[in-house]
Amino acid sequence: MKTVRLTMSQALIAFLKNQYVERDGTEIGFFAGTWGIFGHGNVGGVGQALRQDPNFKYYLSRNEQAMVHTALGFAKMSNRLRTFACTSSIGPGATNMVTGAAVATVNRLPVLLLPGDIFARRNVAPVLQQLESEHTQDISVNDSFKPVSRYWDRINRPDQLPSALLEAVRVLTSPADTGAVTLALPQDVQAEAWDYPAELFEKRVWTIPRPLADRALLRRAIEWIRSAKNPLIIAGGGVIYSDAAAALAKFCEKTGIAVGETQAGKGSLSYEHRCNLEAVGVTGTPGANIMAREADLVIAIGTRLSDFTTASKSAFQNPEVRFVNINVSQLDAHKHAALPLISDARAALEELTMALGNYQVSQEYAARVYRFRTEWQAEANRLFHLRHGPPISQGEVIGLVNQSSQPRDVVVCAAGSLPGDLHKLWRTRHPKGYHLEYGYSCMGYEIAAGLGVKMADPSREVYVMVGDGSYLIMPSEIVTSLQEGYKINIILLNNYGFSSIGGLSQSLGSGRFGTDYRFRNPSSNQLDGERIPVDFVGNAASLGAHAIRANTCDDLKRALEEARRQDRTTVVAVEVDKEQRVPGYESWWDVPVAEVSEMETVQQARAAYEKNLKKERIFL
Ligand SMILES: Cc1ncc(C[n+]2csc(CCOP(=O)(O)OP(=O)(O)O)c2C)c(N)n1
Ligand SMILES: [Mg+2]
């Protein structure tokens, strides 16, 4: 056997740069490079290997959590066909990535994490940043990646690497199993040499399959659809990752079945498609939620059926409702005791379109969908033109950003009140035009991920919409975007704290407690003093961005035009009125209210809560 003598780190990099994926005959390199921050736990190992092999590009980030977000923005924008590796030192550098790992695994997005680890040889322990334990030496902070990784391994000897690498890429490229993969790399082992088989470093192509559903189950699903009077499709992220948007549009055109979109699935159909009722669930449109309530058949495609989609299991009230779940993952396919079509979304839609022949929804059904759509367009237009303030409303900002963006541009968001408002109001015109991380809804995802989105497709303008709270958690990657020359547009909506959680607190009877950014008030000893003024324009400019303030709708229109013309990252800071919120429609979210309290507002909220709780169903 031909061998090559390399350090474990050199072998790792030589392997990663030769991994390719292929789907539908198109081949592409799977790893676009490595993000990292060096410390003593990776500089002499992985750092040296990257220095030696400049073909595998190294990108320096500002924060280890952020670099995972950037990798995930890139992976999601690439329909999971590409991602990055992320290298960190031991200790804090490593644990900073744990949150990113959870974002990956919850959202089913691939990322390879390479945290440095304590010495395998142990004689110098405890090393700087080492966690000690009284009951074992076989533990480090990297064990905290286990629950948030789809595959986890520690490379204690250089000869363990080949088998770990094959497992790692198997999981990363599996549509059903993908998520964070963690290979913990003890800092001594990273630098140890071994005679690796040369074959390990040959080009390897991983085929992304399009598995077909079981034949008998497919026949039964066809019968169920044929006999349904009020069917509804719920389109999730799987539709987009599988590149099934055109197949879904065809299926809908043929059958007339309406579609509600989840956060990850928004964009599956253009907002103009006659079957698209747009957002469904807690942050859904009235039409989608009324159709869900009455549906006798729900065809859930590529969705995790999270509580935001199912309105905490209260969305489907028809006693006869049945579910057909099309999903590559068994876990998702079986949810709600559904008829499971364990299948690629596009393949299943194509087969169903063929098999259903001339099945069509009734004229009444089609007329109702038309009416819901017309009414929703009018309601959205009302929210876009409130002429509120200044401060203007968040709905107006969304309308203006949407209007000034081109159909192929991408909006990026993750947490706060924006995701719900965008889910309802953003008019998506391209399957990759709407990028929401709403599985983990991680404040701080937005700017870092926006950079990853731009890297995946520099031909589009990227609009990162971010609340002041999320911005303050992680504005650092503005600097990284400048370093790499990728321009993003950041629209920062300042409402002096948490509109989302403040509103939620109010609805639970707690009166916004602790959710506003205010000085501590010496007379009450609470955080109810004056608002804390933060100069966001100054902050963004100090990081090197082009920064613009906008107060009115006209200001904002001009600022967005100015931002578009820039060739470097631009921040538009706009103040919005926290009290002028986009309402909810025909839905509910289960957030428990205190069962006992002396506060009357809480008692009232609890009474309403108990009433709503009765609508939650168990599907067996
Ligand atoms: C890392 C993280 N911490 C806490 C939360 C809980 N949380 C959700 S929204 C939110 C407030 C977001 O504030 P901001 O970004 O200003 O948006 P707004 O609610 O004002 O629209 C918080 C604290 C979260 N989602 N992520
Ligand atoms: Mg805010």
Side-chain angles (χ1 to χ4, degrees), residues 424-488:
K424 281 176 269 207
L425 294 176
W426 189 263
R427 291 176 167 167
T428 313
R429 297 148 287 175
H430 185 282
K432 299 307 303 180
Y434 184 85
H435 183 118
L436 254 284
E437 187 284 283
Y438 211 64
Y440 208 49
S441 188
C442 185
M443 289 169 76
Y445 176 84
E446 301 89 342
I447 294 173
L451 169 59
V453 171
K454 184 71 178 175
M455 291 172 82
D457 189 348
S459 74
R460 305 175 194 236
E461 287 291 328
V462 173
Y463 290 91
V464 172
M465 295 193 71
V466 61
D468 53 323
S470 273
Y471 178 88
L472 287 173
I473 278 193
M474 207 182 283
S476 53
E477 299 321 290
I478 288 176
V479 179
T480 311
S481 78
L482 298 169
Q483 162 191 301
E484 296 298 335
Y486 286 107
K487 176 230 177 168
I488 52 179

Side-chain angles (χ1 to χ4, degrees), residues 65 99 394 414-419 440-444 446 466-473 493-502 515 517 576 578:
Q65 183 185 331
T99 298
Q394 188 155 289
S417 59
L418 273 164
Y440 208 49
S441 188
C442 185
M443 289 169 76
E446 301 89 342
V466 61
D468 53 323
S470 273
Y471 178 88
L472 287 173
I473 278 193
L493 290 86
N494 179 24
N495 52 21
Y496 300 91
F498 308 161
S499 165
S500 51
I501 305 299
T515 61
Y517 289 152
V576 291
K578 197 182 275 181

Side-chain angles (χ1 to χ4, degrees), residues 397-412:
V397 176
I398 292 172
L400 287 168
V401 177
N402 187 256
Q403 218 175 53
S404 87
S405 67
Q406 298 296 310
R408 289 181 75 256
D409 292 346
V410 191
V411 67
V412 179

Side-chain angles (χ1 to χ4, degrees), residues 282 307-308 311-312 438 500-501 503-510 588-595 602 605-606 608-610 612-613 616:
V282 179
D307 66 347
F308 260 77
S312 302
Y438 211 64
S500 51
I501 305 299
L504 186 58
S505 165
Q506 189 99 31
S507 77
L508 307 181
S510 299
W588 181 64
W589 187 32
D590 186 343
V591 179
V593 186
E595 197 166 354
V602 175
R606 177 72 195 187
Y609 176 74
E610 284 175 11
N612 278 317
L613 209 51
E616 288 183 8

